[in-house]
Amino acid sequence: MADDSASPSPSSASPLQHHRDAIKSSVHNTSASRRREQAVAIGKERREALIRAKRVCQAPISGSDEAEMEEGDMVVDEDKACLEAKTAHAVEELKSALSNQGKGAQKKKIEVLRDLRRLLSQPGLPLVDAAVKAGAVPLIVQYLSFGSSDEQLLEAAWCLTNIAAGEPEETKSLLPALPLLIAHLGEKSSTLVAEQCAWAIGNVAGEGAELRSTLLAQGALRPLARLMFSSKGSTARTAAWAMSNLIKGPDPKAANELINVDGLLNAIIANLEKGEEELATEVAWVVVYLSALSERAIGLIARSSIPQLLIGRLFSSENLQLLIPVLRGLGNLIAADDYMVDSVLIVGNNIIDQALSGLIKCLKSDTRVLRKEAAWALANIVAGSLEHKKLIFASEAMPLLIHLVTSAQFDIRREAAYTLGNLCVVPTGNCELPKIIVEHLVAIVDGGALPGFIHLVRSADVDTAGLGLQFLEMVMRGYPNGQGPKLVEMEDGIEAMERFQFHENELMRNMANGLVDRYFGEDYGLDE
Amino acid sequence: MEVAPETLDTLAGWFAQSLSPDAAARRAAEQSLASAACTPGFALALLGLASSPRHDLQARLAASVYFKNLLRRRWPKPSADGDDACGDHLPPNDCAIIKAHLLQLLLTAPPLIQAQLSEALAAAAASDFPSKWESLLPSIVSSLGTALSAGDVPATNPLLAAAASLFTRFRNTFDNNAIRIDLKYSLDNFAAPLLEVFLSTSRRLQAAAATVTRPESRPVFECLRLCCEIFYSLNSIDLPEFFEDHMREWMTEFRAFLTTSYPPALEADGAPDALRAAVCDNLQLYMEKYEEEFRGYLKEFVEAVWGLLMAPSVSPSRGQLAVTAIRFLTTVAESVHHALFGSPEAMKQICDSVVVPNLRLRDDDEELFEGNWVEYVRHDAEGSDADTLRRAACRLLRGLAANFREQVAALVSAQVQQMLAAYAADRRNNWKEKDAAIYLVISLMQRPGATGGGTPVIDMESFFTSVIVPELQAPDWQSEPMLKATVLRFLKEFKDQIPKATALSLLPSVTMFLTHESNVVHSYAATFIENLLIIKDVVQVPGVNVVTRTPRYVAADINPYAQQIVQNLSKALNIPESYENPYLMKCLMRVLGIANVAGQIVHEITARLVGILMEVCNNPKNPDFNHYLFEALAAVIGRAGEQDPALLPVFEASLFPVLQRILVEDISEFWPYAFQIFAQLVNMSQPPLSQNYMQLFGVLLSSATWDRPPCVPALVRLLRAFLRKIPNELNQEARLPNILLIFRSLLSRSSTEDSAFFMLNTLVENVSFDIMNPHISEIWSALFTRLQTRQAVKFVNSLVVFMSLVVVKYGPAVLVGSVDAIQPNLFITILQRFWIPNLKFIKGALEVKLTSVASTKLICESAALLDVAAAQTWGKMLDSIVALLSRSDQDGAQQEQNDGADADSQRTSGYSVSFVRLQYAGKSEDDLLKEVNDPKQFLVTSLATLSAQSPGRFGPIIEQNVDPANKGALIQLCAAYNTSIV
């Protein structure tokens, strides 16, 4: 749920199935790996995705002839009304420059575009609205016509980039410009023009699913993908960023189309290898969405060298902007394809040690999203073999997870709880209750995690409460010497379970009542 | 929707008759209704009558209730199992018409009928909304819009109530894509209109808050409360984008409701507090799940809620509000924002102003204690979904203690001392202070061994001796019953830690409290004693790394007190409102089941229990009590009868009349118990059995007796008791064919097939082959016919167990011969298709032993298997035996633990008749193979003997047919028992 609108489960199998069966036969789903939930978006796009969804272009893209900061780029201290008047005037100028013919006309065109672009680049974009209302977009489209000079195209695309970075309605006003913007992405354009157009398209794609599907229908994906192969770092970076906006779904079609583009994996690999963190960050976001949406992509990526590269970055980087997509992409892969745990993260190999220490670093992080994603990835690794469980059990992650399950925020608690729960069980493969790894269970309970799980049982969230109940079931069944029920009782667990005595959810009610009856009910004292 | 007026009149007539005082008329009307209920259009007629203004309101109301129940029962549900449920559904056409009209009819109905129709709507929507009822939500929304623009708040409420009932599903369902699709649909259609209704109604309230009168304000508050309830449902699964975008608007109004004081007359109505409680629920949800988005509002809401808790109020809903408000604060205290409460001042203020005042008993607690003791006990001691204020207050303290352990401990400790001092200063008037102090200690004291959560607040030993014990030994033991109840609850909570000698020394005092006139007090005393007697201690078994759990209190410990306890319990059962007190009866059952009672007291208590049973036969209404009553009887019969067989005639004389009454008067819920008690008596008897028993035996053999499924397990037990005593009686009067007839009918249903096998096994265990011989082929035919359609593991396992029993009892040749008599070579086929593949799934220690020994006998003694042509089958059979024996090693320990608990989980407390095994009526499982000690040894020694007769023959067969892992296990077994297969 870290990026609700954008990260549906890659599989058509609903997580529901795991959950349901799990509750019925108790702890099952703690041991099944869990994919990123829910194809149906309810929540808002999470903030870290929002921040990067649209970007203003303040300075010329690197490599252009323009000086970094020209005189007149900064418009100082004028009041808004005045600026708006200037903007309206600039749009008027655009119009009249179009009809100019003859000598100096070309120069004039560039000048008027540049004037408008400067106004549109004001911090906070206060003038985009005025420009759009004055009818700037259809005019700018005319400046994008084929055969125009690179400089003119560049300025026009820059204007559009910043208009598209504005409010939703302003972004939508770019609709008539899209075919030309896409056309200028192509091989015939100069790199600079293509990059600026990619930026504008990235902003449009960042607006929402509707515009994304328009862009896809108009064929934006393939030229954008080719641009990702560019040897110029900033071009590849901008293209990758725009691409991540374009394929973020929720419709998986774009991601599926992208993975079929020849050379894509090699481009991702090359860019991840290069070392420049900003580029790696954008490429990692592409991996995030591919791995969230496309079953085919998951299989191909998991079997490429990308997991190693991501793990290397996770291990060595301290850059939050990079760590977030790297961790999330890895998490998606681990959850979606058993190959990751069975054949990549093999216990005894260096790679799992790197991955683990990277994850531990994230668990310790102050950044909430890193802690949550790390716990989620761990929960799915721990769903693997007994060796994986042992490795993580013996690692520094254990005390961290116990701490998180008792004191962290709701969603992190829940992920930590899944991990700890998974550490304690070996699935039996059939419909019986899973076997408990007593040593792990004891250490986790004695380490102080039980109150955290009982807290989960009290949760208003039914799934989470179910997870708590499953853990209590394991404690009562598996803690040595029949001490489990007593431990649960001491931590007020009975009271927590009794909350479900008359609960509307039948499975929860039956499970809780069944546990209370079984372990605290009519103990006839005769059967042992 | 048109219904003929005559139809409505007829229907109205029936409903009028159904309320008639004349039983015959009533029954006739009910009959007419029941037969009409199956015809298409009936539901429409009901709905038509319910909403027909020209008919009598009573009849309309009755019709609406009938309609609601009809929809609940017969509205088509997407059946989870795919098949069963579809037979009795309402016709699709009726459903379509109902869906088209129900909402409008509901809106125009008078309030009482509206309530019924609203529930009917919810019942239909539960399966049809939204995908099969697409018009519903848009209609609600458009009617809402109409009501809103007309400024008609009362008209919005039924609409909101209907919407609220549609959306509650989002609170309680597991998160999955299907529910998200429904939620998204609901949000797309309803989130915006909801906000509009909410804001506009809230504005109306604010504008008129000072002047509005009660009748006007009530629907306004109700409307807002419903909006809050819907808010909760729509926000349960995830934080919807729309709500995140409009959080400020919602929160601003929420805050206003919490901080505005409405005119006293409005506050006294309770409606504002009901609204505030709904707000607090929403705050708690946001605090728990969406803390990141909500954190900006946190501080102001903590202050608002806090202010609310400190303000005095006359509202009758304040208690419920306080519970939800404290719950919100608890969530904050346990969250990452706990530092909000971290300062010493804040903590002191919480303790003094929020916790302590709510800890003291309140007037309504006292009323409940006096007026409805059952409810009081449920709330106070058993924990239920409805929190008490006291419990909520203590949970807040515990929540704080999670992060500020020392500070909380110090505060609580000081508080306890202060309360005790207040009590010491004025015992008569300040007993509630002491009560609160004990309550605090119960809630906060850390239990030894707990890993967290509890808080060491006092020195337990000195508290126990100086605070608790004096109350138990006070001469005025009848006074301040609520305090006494809390003291007894303290004992129960800390029963494990009270040293045995101390507990025993307190028993006489507690026993005295059994006769306390307060129902709560004597119930708590009984519960404490009962709980004490089931304590088990973990004991290390010397020499091995194994622990066992043994009872701390055994017969010798409580024998000195037993008579007094039994007598006092007997007295207490005479106290008004405790005639059917399950706590008393459970305690009685426990004491009788553990202590050795003998002499006069046996006669007395048997007579007393029989007297009570006679009484409850008049109107059995309390299944728990009745269950313990029969357990108590079974315990007396079992324990006392075991020691003194001469008591049997006494038991028979007192029990026969009441047991006969149960059978004659057909008190069906007691039949399963009665047969178990009979079985117990038969087990104690010596043949020849008296005439009474032989009559019962006759009853037992009539197939009518077996028609009631809940009785079947009890009847099989009774039959078993008879067969053990008088196996040869079966030869007479065609009794065995009768039994086999019953067997066949039990076998035909999967719900009773267990009993069918139990019956068969009982026969083979107890009846010699010459009696069985004429019938054996009939049995095989029945079993194999059933097997053709039922190949569930459970059935096949039971079959394998039964065939094993035949091998062990009658020998392998009888099994093979009698099966092959049905059809040549049938036995080998059965063996290959069912026995061999299923053997490794057999569960239960006795069953594993039985089937493995029988299988061993087959491969070592049966000519059919030793035939050269059967070599492969022989090898596979051996493979399965080894697999079974090595698997049972692995889960043996686990198995035993579970077996103990399983016996308890069959307890049910429903009102339908069901079979519940009486624990004290004795065990029925016997090891038929006492001569075989160790099935593994039996296997390898049998194999060694066999192979010694033809050396070299079995090695290759094993090599070819036994799985390598199993072969390894076999070799290990041979080594372990020092044998070899040559």
Side-chain angles (χ1 to χ4, degrees), chain A residues 38 44 46 455 459 461 481 491 495 498 505 522, chain B residues 172 245 288-289 293 334 382 395 451-452 547 904:
Chain A
Q38 288 88 37
K44 224 173 156 73
R46 284 304 110 195
H455 187 84
S459 171
D461 185 88
N481 301 335
E491 308 286 1
E495 198 189 70
E498 278 174 341
N505 185 311
E522 306 304 322
Chain B
N172 301 315
D245 289 344
E288 189 195 341
K289 287 192 75 174
E293 293 78 8
E334 289 172 339
E382 300 189 344
R395 180 143 338 117
T451 54
V547 295
D904 284 340

PDB file of all heavy atoms in Angstrom, chain A residues 38 44 46 455 459 461 481 491 495 498 505 522, chain B residues 172 245 288-289 293 334 382 395 451-452 547 904:
ATOM      1  N   GLN A  38      -3.544  -5.217  -3.384  1.00  0.00           N
ATOM      2  CA  GLN A  38      -4.643  -4.429  -3.918  1.00  0.00           C
ATOM      3  C   GLN A  38      -4.458  -3.680  -5.216  1.00  0.00           C
ATOM      4  O   GLN A  38      -3.774  -2.679  -5.314  1.00  0.00           O
ATOM      5  CB  GLN A  38      -5.097  -3.414  -2.855  1.00  0.00           C
ATOM      6  CG  GLN A  38      -5.820  -4.080  -1.733  1.00  0.00           C
ATOM      7  CD  GLN A  38      -4.871  -4.549  -0.649  1.00  0.00           C
ATOM      8  OE1 GLN A  38      -3.904  -3.870  -0.384  1.00  0.00           O
ATOM      9  NE2 GLN A  38      -5.130  -5.681  -0.056  1.00  0.00           N
ATOM     10  N   LYS A  44      -4.818   7.817  -1.594  1.00  0.00           N
ATOM     11  CA  LYS A  44      -4.103   8.769  -2.417  1.00  0.00           C
ATOM     12  C   LYS A  44      -2.736   8.189  -2.752  1.00  0.00           C
ATOM     13  O   LYS A  44      -2.208   7.378  -2.017  1.00  0.00           O
ATOM     14  CB  LYS A  44      -3.880  10.002  -1.554  1.00  0.00           C
ATOM     15  CG  LYS A  44      -4.124  11.311  -2.201  1.00  0.00           C
ATOM     16  CD  LYS A  44      -3.995  12.372  -1.092  1.00  0.00           C
ATOM     17  CE  LYS A  44      -3.653  13.690  -1.681  1.00  0.00           C
ATOM     18  NZ  LYS A  44      -4.769  14.301  -2.376  1.00  0.00           N
ATOM     19  N   ARG A  46       0.914   7.902  -2.508  1.00  0.00           N
ATOM     20  CA  ARG A  46       1.702   8.289  -1.337  1.00  0.00           C
ATOM     21  C   ARG A  46       2.586   9.474  -1.645  1.00  0.00           C
ATOM     22  O   ARG A  46       2.965   9.735  -2.791  1.00  0.00           O
ATOM     23  CB  ARG A  46       2.567   7.116  -0.869  1.00  0.00           C
ATOM     24  CG  ARG A  46       1.813   6.052  -0.133  1.00  0.00           C
ATOM     25  CD  ARG A  46       1.063   6.587   1.060  1.00  0.00           C
ATOM     26  NE  ARG A  46      -0.369   6.539   0.805  1.00  0.00           N
ATOM     27  CZ  ARG A  46      -1.258   7.188   1.529  1.00  0.00           C
ATOM     28  NH1 ARG A  46      -0.900   7.922   2.538  1.00  0.00           N
ATOM     29  NH2 ARG A  46      -2.529   7.088   1.242  1.00  0.00           N
ATOM     30  N   HIS A 455      -1.489  -6.178  21.146  1.00  0.00           N
ATOM     31  CA  HIS A 455      -1.928  -4.866  20.699  1.00  0.00           C
ATOM     32  C   HIS A 455      -2.557  -4.968  19.309  1.00  0.00           C
ATOM     33  O   HIS A 455      -3.581  -4.339  19.036  1.00  0.00           O
ATOM     34  CB  HIS A 455      -0.721  -3.926  20.672  1.00  0.00           C
ATOM     35  CG  HIS A 455      -1.067  -2.505  20.383  1.00  0.00           C
ATOM     36  ND1 HIS A 455      -1.490  -1.641  21.361  1.00  0.00           N
ATOM     37  CD2 HIS A 455      -1.082  -1.808  19.233  1.00  0.00           C
ATOM     38  CE1 HIS A 455      -1.745  -0.463  20.820  1.00  0.00           C
ATOM     39  NE2 HIS A 455      -1.499  -0.539  19.521  1.00  0.00           N
ATOM     40  N   SER A 459      -6.586  -4.212  17.304  1.00  0.00           N
ATOM     41  CA  SER A 459      -6.642  -3.239  16.219  1.00  0.00           C
ATOM     42  C   SER A 459      -8.036  -3.132  15.618  1.00  0.00           C
ATOM     43  O   SER A 459      -8.793  -4.100  15.561  1.00  0.00           O
ATOM     44  CB  SER A 459      -5.659  -3.643  15.123  1.00  0.00           C
ATOM     45  OG  SER A 459      -5.849  -2.829  13.999  1.00  0.00           O
ATOM     46  N   ASP A 461      -8.372  -2.700  12.611  1.00  0.00           N
ATOM     47  CA  ASP A 461      -8.184  -3.270  11.288  1.00  0.00           C
ATOM     48  C   ASP A 461      -8.305  -4.797  11.366  1.00  0.00           C
ATOM     49  O   ASP A 461      -7.543  -5.451  12.081  1.00  0.00           O
ATOM     50  CB  ASP A 461      -6.794  -2.877  10.776  1.00  0.00           C
ATOM     51  CG  ASP A 461      -6.573  -3.338   9.360  1.00  0.00           C
ATOM     52  OD1 ASP A 461      -6.933  -2.584   8.458  1.00  0.00           O
ATOM     53  OD2 ASP A 461      -6.059  -4.462   9.178  1.00  0.00           O
ATOM     54  N   ASN A 481       6.060 -26.504  27.306  1.00  0.00           N
ATOM     55  CA  ASN A 481       5.503 -26.858  28.605  1.00  0.00           C
ATOM     56  C   ASN A 481       4.107 -26.293  28.839  1.00  0.00           C
ATOM     57  O   ASN A 481       3.706 -26.053  29.974  1.00  0.00           O
ATOM     58  CB  ASN A 481       6.410 -26.398  29.750  1.00  0.00           C
ATOM     59  CG  ASN A 481       7.784 -27.015  29.634  1.00  0.00           C
ATOM     60  OD1 ASN A 481       7.930 -28.079  29.035  1.00  0.00           O
ATOM     61  ND2 ASN A 481       8.779 -26.346  30.176  1.00  0.00           N
ATOM     62  N   GLU A 491      -0.670 -11.240  29.674  1.00  0.00           N
ATOM     63  CA  GLU A 491      -0.579  -9.989  28.928  1.00  0.00           C
ATOM     64  C   GLU A 491      -1.962  -9.487  28.538  1.00  0.00           C
ATOM     65  O   GLU A 491      -2.105  -8.704  27.607  1.00  0.00           O
ATOM     66  CB  GLU A 491       0.270 -10.181  27.659  1.00  0.00           C
ATOM     67  CG  GLU A 491       1.626 -10.800  27.883  1.00  0.00           C
ATOM     68  CD  GLU A 491       2.607  -9.836  28.526  1.00  0.00           C
ATOM     69  OE1 GLU A 491       2.222  -8.703  28.807  1.00  0.00           O
ATOM     70  OE2 GLU A 491       3.756 -10.250  28.757  1.00  0.00           O
ATOM     71  N   GLU A 495      -8.666 -11.028  27.282  1.00  0.00           N
ATOM     72  CA  GLU A 495      -9.568  -9.896  27.130  1.00  0.00           C
ATOM     73  C   GLU A 495      -9.537  -9.384  25.691  1.00  0.00           C
ATOM     74  O   GLU A 495     -10.572  -9.074  25.102  1.00  0.00           O
ATOM     75  CB  GLU A 495      -9.122  -8.798  28.089  1.00  0.00           C
ATOM     76  CG  GLU A 495     -10.173  -7.783  28.355  1.00  0.00           C
ATOM     77  CD  GLU A 495      -9.580  -6.618  29.127  1.00  0.00           C
ATOM     78  OE1 GLU A 495      -8.781  -5.859  28.554  1.00  0.00           O
ATOM     79  OE2 GLU A 495      -9.917  -6.496  30.296  1.00  0.00           O
ATOM     80  N   GLU A 498     -11.524 -11.695  23.581  1.00  0.00           N
ATOM     81  CA  GLU A 498     -12.964 -11.686  23.866  1.00  0.00           C
ATOM     82  C   GLU A 498     -13.677 -10.555  23.150  1.00  0.00           C
ATOM     83  O   GLU A 498     -14.889 -10.570  23.017  1.00  0.00           O
ATOM     84  CB  GLU A 498     -13.213 -11.616  25.371  1.00  0.00           C
ATOM     85  CG  GLU A 498     -13.094 -12.994  26.014  1.00  0.00           C
ATOM     86  CD  GLU A 498     -13.188 -12.959  27.529  1.00  0.00           C
ATOM     87  OE1 GLU A 498     -12.988 -11.871  28.101  1.00  0.00           O
ATOM     88  OE2 GLU A 498     -13.439 -14.016  28.118  1.00  0.00           O
ATOM     89  N   ASN A 505     -17.519 -10.306  11.841  1.00  0.00           N
ATOM     90  CA  ASN A 505     -16.748 -11.135  10.920  1.00  0.00           C
ATOM     91  C   ASN A 505     -16.704 -12.564  11.459  1.00  0.00           C
ATOM     92  O   ASN A 505     -16.102 -12.854  12.483  1.00  0.00           O
ATOM     93  CB  ASN A 505     -15.335 -10.572  10.785  1.00  0.00           C
ATOM     94  CG  ASN A 505     -14.535 -11.324   9.757  1.00  0.00           C
ATOM     95  OD1 ASN A 505     -14.491 -12.553   9.769  1.00  0.00           O
ATOM     96  ND2 ASN A 505     -13.908 -10.598   8.853  1.00  0.00           N
ATOM     97  N   GLU A 522     -13.597 -24.703  28.976  1.00  0.00           N
ATOM     98  CA  GLU A 522     -13.959 -25.717  29.953  1.00  0.00           C
ATOM     99  C   GLU A 522     -12.814 -26.693  30.120  1.00  0.00           C
ATOM    100  O   GLU A 522     -12.775 -27.734  29.492  1.00  0.00           O
ATOM    101  CB  GLU A 522     -15.209 -26.445  29.470  1.00  0.00           C
ATOM    102  CG  GLU A 522     -16.351 -25.515  29.156  1.00  0.00           C
ATOM    103  CD  GLU A 522     -16.697 -24.647  30.339  1.00  0.00           C
ATOM    104  OE1 GLU A 522     -16.643 -25.153  31.479  1.00  0.00           O
ATOM    105  OE2 GLU A 522     -16.996 -23.465  30.130  1.00  0.00           O
TER     106      GLU A 522
ATOM    107  N   ASN B 172     -15.769  -4.823   8.756  1.00  0.00           N
ATOM    108  CA  ASN B 172     -15.491  -6.135   9.323  1.00  0.00           C
ATOM    109  C   ASN B 172     -14.976  -7.168   8.344  1.00  0.00           C
ATOM    110  O   ASN B 172     -14.841  -8.324   8.672  1.00  0.00           O
ATOM    111  CB  ASN B 172     -16.760  -6.685   9.982  1.00  0.00           C
ATOM    112  CG  ASN B 172     -17.240  -5.767  11.066  1.00  0.00           C
ATOM    113  OD1 ASN B 172     -16.452  -5.302  11.869  1.00  0.00           O
ATOM    114  ND2 ASN B 172     -18.529  -5.476  11.079  1.00  0.00           N
ATOM    115  N   ASP B 245      -8.332  14.426   1.042  1.00  0.00           N
ATOM    116  CA  ASP B 245      -8.406  15.780   0.489  1.00  0.00           C
ATOM    117  C   ASP B 245      -9.323  16.687   1.299  1.00  0.00           C
ATOM    118  O   ASP B 245      -9.164  17.905   1.292  1.00  0.00           O
ATOM    119  CB  ASP B 245      -8.903  15.732  -0.962  1.00  0.00           C
ATOM    120  CG  ASP B 245      -7.853  15.141  -1.890  1.00  0.00           C
ATOM    121  OD1 ASP B 245      -6.681  15.069  -1.462  1.00  0.00           O
ATOM    122  OD2 ASP B 245      -8.195  14.725  -3.010  1.00  0.00           O
ATOM    123  N   GLU B 288      -5.025   5.353  14.861  1.00  0.00           N
ATOM    124  CA  GLU B 288      -4.358   4.065  14.746  1.00  0.00           C
ATOM    125  C   GLU B 288      -3.824   3.832  13.335  1.00  0.00           C
ATOM    126  O   GLU B 288      -2.666   3.488  13.156  1.00  0.00           O
ATOM    127  CB  GLU B 288      -5.304   2.919  15.121  1.00  0.00           C
ATOM    128  CG  GLU B 288      -4.522   1.605  15.213  1.00  0.00           C
ATOM    129  CD  GLU B 288      -5.393   0.368  15.226  1.00  0.00           C
ATOM    130  OE1 GLU B 288      -6.597   0.471  15.528  1.00  0.00           O
ATOM    131  OE2 GLU B 288      -4.854  -0.710  14.925  1.00  0.00           O
ATOM    132  N   LYS B 289      -4.676   4.030  12.346  1.00  0.00           N
ATOM    133  CA  LYS B 289      -4.290   3.586  11.001  1.00  0.00           C
ATOM    134  C   LYS B 289      -3.635   4.677  10.153  1.00  0.00           C
ATOM    135  O   LYS B 289      -2.827   4.373   9.303  1.00  0.00           O
ATOM    136  CB  LYS B 289      -5.514   3.042  10.256  1.00  0.00           C
ATOM    137  CG  LYS B 289      -5.954   1.688  10.765  1.00  0.00           C
ATOM    138  CD  LYS B 289      -6.970   1.047   9.839  1.00  0.00           C
ATOM    139  CE  LYS B 289      -6.328   0.504   8.570  1.00  0.00           C
ATOM    140  NZ  LYS B 289      -7.310  -0.240   7.750  1.00  0.00           N
ATOM    141  N   GLU B 293      -1.123  10.981   8.363  1.00  0.00           N
ATOM    142  CA  GLU B 293      -1.935  12.040   7.787  1.00  0.00           C
ATOM    143  C   GLU B 293      -2.670  12.828   8.875  1.00  0.00           C
ATOM    144  O   GLU B 293      -3.028  13.982   8.691  1.00  0.00           O
ATOM    145  CB  GLU B 293      -2.958  11.455   6.809  1.00  0.00           C
ATOM    146  CG  GLU B 293      -2.352  10.841   5.559  1.00  0.00           C
ATOM    147  CD  GLU B 293      -1.771   9.450   5.793  1.00  0.00           C
ATOM    148  OE1 GLU B 293      -1.982   8.886   6.903  1.00  0.00           O
ATOM    149  OE2 GLU B 293      -1.101   8.905   4.898  1.00  0.00           O
ATOM    150  N   GLU B 334      -0.248   4.843  23.433  1.00  0.00           N
ATOM    151  CA  GLU B 334       0.516   3.683  22.961  1.00  0.00           C
ATOM    152  C   GLU B 334       1.224   3.956  21.637  1.00  0.00           C
ATOM    153  O   GLU B 334       1.949   3.116  21.141  1.00  0.00           O
ATOM    154  CB  GLU B 334      -0.424   2.479  22.795  1.00  0.00           C
ATOM    155  CG  GLU B 334      -0.897   1.921  24.136  1.00  0.00           C
ATOM    156  CD  GLU B 334      -1.970   0.849  23.967  1.00  0.00           C
ATOM    157  OE1 GLU B 334      -2.618   0.814  22.912  1.00  0.00           O
ATOM    158  OE2 GLU B 334      -2.138   0.070  24.916  1.00  0.00           O
ATOM    159  N   GLU B 382     -15.796 -11.093  32.977  1.00  0.00           N
ATOM    160  CA  GLU B 382     -15.562 -11.947  31.827  1.00  0.00           C
ATOM    161  C   GLU B 382     -15.068 -11.181  30.622  1.00  0.00           C
ATOM    162  O   GLU B 382     -14.641 -11.773  29.655  1.00  0.00           O
ATOM    163  CB  GLU B 382     -16.838 -12.720  31.492  1.00  0.00           C
ATOM    164  CG  GLU B 382     -17.238 -13.580  32.683  1.00  0.00           C
ATOM    165  CD  GLU B 382     -18.363 -14.528  32.372  1.00  0.00           C
ATOM    166  OE1 GLU B 382     -19.038 -14.331  31.365  1.00  0.00           O
ATOM    167  OE2 GLU B 382     -18.542 -15.464  33.159  1.00  0.00           O
ATOM    168  N   ARG B 395      -6.930   0.509  31.189  1.00  0.00           N
ATOM    169  CA  ARG B 395      -6.176   0.251  29.973  1.00  0.00           C
ATOM    170  C   ARG B 395      -5.358   1.483  29.583  1.00  0.00           C
ATOM    171  O   ARG B 395      -4.256   1.366  29.073  1.00  0.00           O
ATOM    172  CB  ARG B 395      -7.104  -0.180  28.848  1.00  0.00           C
ATOM    173  CG  ARG B 395      -6.310  -0.434  27.600  1.00  0.00           C
ATOM    174  CD  ARG B 395      -6.723  -1.570  26.698  1.00  0.00           C
ATOM    175  NE  ARG B 395      -7.507  -2.632  27.239  1.00  0.00           N
ATOM    176  CZ  ARG B 395      -8.733  -2.917  26.833  1.00  0.00           C
ATOM    177  NH1 ARG B 395      -9.303  -2.181  25.909  1.00  0.00           N
ATOM    178  NH2 ARG B 395      -9.366  -3.927  27.333  1.00  0.00           N
ATOM    179  N   THR B 451       5.981 -10.771  30.103  1.00  0.00           N
ATOM    180  CA  THR B 451       7.131 -10.160  29.449  1.00  0.00           C
ATOM    181  C   THR B 451       7.000  -8.651  29.353  1.00  0.00           C
ATOM    182  O   THR B 451       7.897  -7.967  28.931  1.00  0.00           O
ATOM    183  CB  THR B 451       7.300 -10.724  28.033  1.00  0.00           C
ATOM    184  OG1 THR B 451       6.065 -10.564  27.345  1.00  0.00           O
ATOM    185  CG2 THR B 451       7.687 -12.159  28.072  1.00  0.00           C
ATOM    186  N   GLY B 452       5.875  -8.131  29.694  1.00  0.00           N
ATOM    187  CA  GLY B 452       5.709  -6.686  29.624  1.00  0.00           C
ATOM    188  C   GLY B 452       4.276  -6.362  29.973  1.00  0.00           C
ATOM    189  O   GLY B 452       3.499  -7.240  30.320  1.00  0.00           O
ATOM    190  N   VAL B 547       8.479 -32.471  30.760  1.00  0.00           N
ATOM    191  CA  VAL B 547       7.703 -31.965  31.871  1.00  0.00           C
ATOM    192  C   VAL B 547       6.273 -32.455  31.736  1.00  0.00           C
ATOM    193  O   VAL B 547       5.795 -32.735  30.647  1.00  0.00           O
ATOM    194  CB  VAL B 547       7.706 -30.423  31.922  1.00  0.00           C
ATOM    195  CG1 VAL B 547       9.092 -29.897  32.181  1.00  0.00           C
ATOM    196  CG2 VAL B 547       7.129 -29.856  30.652  1.00  0.00           C
ATOM    197  N   ASP B 904     -12.429 -30.790  24.982  1.00  0.00           N
ATOM    198  CA  ASP B 904     -13.143 -29.633  25.482  1.00  0.00           C
ATOM    199  C   ASP B 904     -13.815 -28.836  24.390  1.00  0.00           C
ATOM    200  O   ASP B 904     -14.816 -28.197  24.613  1.00  0.00           O
ATOM    201  CB  ASP B 904     -12.158 -28.692  26.197  1.00  0.00           C
ATOM    202  CG  ASP B 904     -11.809 -29.257  27.543  1.00  0.00           C
ATOM    203  OD1 ASP B 904     -12.578 -30.090  28.038  1.00  0.00           O
ATOM    204  OD2 ASP B 904     -10.764 -28.863  28.076  1.00  0.00           O
TER     205      ASP B 904
END
